[in-house]
Amino acid sequence: MSTAVSPLAPKSQPKMPAIEGVRIATAEAGIKYKNRTDLLVMAFDEGTQVAGVFTRSKCPSAPVDFCRQNLPDGKARMLVVNSGNANAFTGKKGRETTDMTAQAAAKASGCRPGDVFLASTGVIGEPLDAGRFSHLIADMTRRAEPGLWKEAGQAIMTTDTYPKYATATVRLGDADVTINGIAKGAGMVAPDMATMLSFIATDAPIAAGVLQDMLSKGVGKSFNSVTVDSDTSTSDTLLLFATGAAGRRGAPEISEPNDARLAQFRRALNRILKNLALQVVRDGEGARKQVEVTVTGAKSARSAKRIALAIANSPLVKTAVAGEDANWGRVVMAVGKAGEPADRDLLSIWFGDNRLAHNGERDPDYSEAATSAYMKRDEIVIRADIGIGRGKATVWTCDLTKEYVAINGDYRS
C-alpha cells in the first residue's frame, strides 16, 4: 500500500452514521499486510435483503462464484471481506476456502451459508488459506458494533492510498432512511458490472428485486463508466444490503421498482454510486489528474461510450495528460481506432473550452498557449463530437504516470 496519499484525494471524509441493522468489525489477520487491518465482517439483522452486480470477467474469483450462487435468494446475514489475496484462479482450493469461510460465518451468526456473502481482493493465483482467518470470525461477530464504517473502509484497501466513503439521508414515506457506501480500487479497474469492491447498506425496507433493479441500472453511469487502466478485475463485486429497520419508524415497504415513493432514494443511491466510482478514479495508481471524457454526436449512446472508453483507455492519451501536453492528435487516433462509425471530416475536439480541431482539421483559432495552460489543471475535460448522430456518453479516467509502472512492476514483492 502506497504511503503517499493521492493528490486527488477528498479534502475531508464524510461522517458515516450507523445504519440500524448493520454491525461491523475488523481485524489484523496478516494475510499479506503487516500492522494493518485486512479482514472485515458485517453482520446484518434477520430479514436483510441483498442485491449485487459482479465482474463480467471470464476468469471470476471463487468469492464471485460464491456470491452469484447465493444472490437469487435475496437474503443476507453476513459479509466477510479480506484484502491482500483475491482467491482468484485458485481452483478447488479456492472453493474450499469460500466454503470454510462461509461455514465459519454462518456458525458465528446462526444463519445458513446461503445467507453469507464473501469478497476477496489482492494477488491473483495465490491460494488463500482460510485457516489464517476463519477462526477470527466468531469473535469479530460478537464484538461487532454499528458505527465502525471508517474502519470498514480501511480494512478493504490494497494499493489504495485512501479509504472511500459516501453517505446520504433521504425521506422514504414519512421516515428518514440512510444509505452508506464504501469502496476500494486503485488499479486493475475497468469495471464491467461493478468496481473492484464496493458495499452499500441502508435501513430502508426495500425488497431484493427492487434493490437489484436500482443497482443494475445505477452502475451504467457510475462504476461502469470509470477506467483506470482498461483491465477488468477478476473480483469486481458491488453488493447492496437493505436491513428494513426504518420500517419500524414508519418507512413504507417497497416491493415494486416503479413505486413513485422511491424517487428520492434512487437519486441518492445513484449519487453515492457515482461518488464512490469517481473516488476510485481519483485514487488510480500514481494518478495526478482526473480526466472526464465526453463523446457527443455519435451514431448511438452505445457507440459513444465505446469511443469514449477508447479515448480514456489509450495509454498515449493518458500519458499526454500526465505530461500536460495538449496532444489532441492522440484523441483523433483513439476515435479512429475505436471500431465505431465516425467521419474524419466531421470530427471536432475540445480540451476544456478550447476547441482544438474542427471539421477534420486544426481549429483556425487554436491557441497552444491557452491549451497548455489548461492542461496544468488537476481535472481535465476532453470532448469529441463525432458529428454523425445524437449518441452521447461520459466516462472518467486518470492520467498514466511513472508511478503506475512502479507500483505494478513491484506489486507482488
Side-chain angles (χ1 to χ4, degrees), residues 72-132:
D73 266 1
K75 294 185 180 66
R77 292 292 307 284
M78 288 285 277
L79 169 69
V80 182
V81 188
N82 74 273
S83 62
N85 184 316
N87 193 14
F89 212 74
T90 45
K92 184 164 168 259
K93 287 194 187 88
R95 291 189 291 280
E96 285 165 358
T97 295
T98 54
D99 288 346
M100 188 171 164
T101 309
Q103 293 287 353
K107 192 173 172 191
S109 68
C111 70
R112 305 173 307 123
D115 299 332
V116 175
F117 288 81
L118 305 174
S120 300
T121 177
V123 174
I124 295 169
E126 289 277 335
L128 173 63
D129 178 6
R132 294 278 294 276

Side-chain angles (χ1 to χ4, degrees), residues 2-10 13 157 160-163 282-283 287-288:
S2 174
T3 47
V5 175
S6 165
L8 304 176
Q13 297 283 15
M157 290 162 55
D160 306 57
T161 70
Y162 60 87
R282 294 174 76 86
D283 201 15
R288 294 288 174 270

Side-chain angles (χ1 to χ4, degrees), residues 220-383:
K221 290 190 172 171
S222 58
F223 282 125
N224 280 354
S225 292
V226 298
T227 176
V228 167
D229 48 21
S230 85
D231 287 334
T232 297
S233 162
T234 57
S235 310
D236 293 339
T237 297
L238 168 58
L239 293 168
L240 169 58
F241 303 93
T243 68
R248 296 193 285 274
R249 302 195 305 274
E253 291 204 12
I254 307 288
S255 54
E256 294 297 329
N258 55 3
D259 193 315
R261 295 172 293 186
L262 257 186
Q264 244 191 310
F265 185 95
R266 188 188 291 270
R267 279 197 298 273
L269 176 65
N270 287 340
R271 275 199 310 275
I272 280 178
L273 292 171
K274 183 175 173 184
N275 179 324
L276 290 171
L278 286 181
Q279 286 192 60
V280 169
V281 159
R282 294 174 76 86
D283 201 15
E285 289 165 344
R288 294 288 174 270
K289 296 177 187 288
Q290 175 185 305
V291 186
E292 180 177 292
V293 180
T294 294
V295 169
T296 56
K299 189 174 183 186
S300 66
R302 177 175 289 191
S303 181
K305 188 160 184 182
R306 286 190 178 140
I307 296 170
L309 284 169
I311 298 167
N313 282 326
S314 162
L316 289 175
V317 171
K318 288 154 70 76
T319 48
V321 173
E324 300 182 340
D325 177 11
N327 192 339
W328 54 270
R330 293 181 176 181
V331 178
V332 174
M333 172 279 298
V335 171
K337 76 165 185 174
E340 292 296 317
D343 185 329
R344 179 196 62 200
D345 297 334
L346 298 176
L347 181 63
S348 300
I349 294 166
W350 289 258
F351 283 9
D353 293 330
N354 306 287
R355 191 170 72 178
L356 319 175
H358 184 52
N359 289 343
E361 58 185 325
R362 190 169 73 187
D363 192 296
D365 297 328
Y366 170 69
S367 161
E368 180 78 24
T371 313
S372 294
Y374 176 76
M375 297 304 288
K376 297 200 179 322
R377 297 185 182 195
D378 60 11
E379 293 190 11
I380 302 293
V381 176
I382 296 173
R383 180 157 80 87

